[in-house]
Amino acid sequence: MRVGVALGAGGAVGVAFHGGVLAALQEATGWDPRDAEVLVGTSAGSLSASLLRLGLTTADLRAVSEGQPLSDVGQLIAGPGGPHRPRTDLRAFLRPRPPASVAAVARGLLDPRGR
């Protein structure tokens, strides 16, 4: 039997969905999606498929979306600056910051159609 996996888009939510569904599928059946003959995807699905083809486990794919640490093997695959980053602290994210360019903001306010 030959098996192919096609994964859809969906941004960060899509990657989270792929991680959760594929990990649950593996836990329920014992079948590892990395063993599929073909792994393809669109947008977020292409990222998930690429990570799986690189050798990231479904548990690690789920951990990426849950902000959990990767396994030792997952950490080796991800390497420094890999796909697993700590989640942004909400308070730090919502903290007001000055615009990168006050002049650009002023131009946008004075001529909104030109931007």
Side-chain angles (χ1 to χ4, degrees):
M1 174 169 42
R2 297 167 57 183
V3 177
V5 175
L7 302 169
V13 173
V15 174
F17 182 80
H18 300 144
V21 168
L22 293 173
L25 178 68
Q26 184 171 0
E27 289 168 12
T29 66
W31 178 74
D32 188 342
R34 295 176 298 170
D35 294 335
E37 187 170 332
V38 177
L39 277 167
V40 297
T42 299
S43 192
S46 66
L47 175 62
S48 296
S50 297
L51 291 171
L52 290 168
R53 194 52 84 200
L54 283 170
L56 204 68
T57 66
T58 57
D60 281 332
L61 187 58
R62 182 176 59 199
V64 167
S65 299
E66 293 176 347
Q68 300 297 318
L70 298 176
S71 68
D72 292 341
V73 172
Q75 289 177 18
L76 285 174
I77 292 169
H84 187 260
R85 297 183 304 275
R87 294 188 180 269
T88 302
D89 177 46
L90 184 59
R91 284 171 287 171
F93 179 74
L94 295 175
R95 184 181 69 241
R97 292 184 235 7
S101 167
V102 175
V105 171
R107 282 193 304 273
L109 291 172
L110 295 172
D111 184 18
R113 293 181 189 214
R115 302 288 158 234

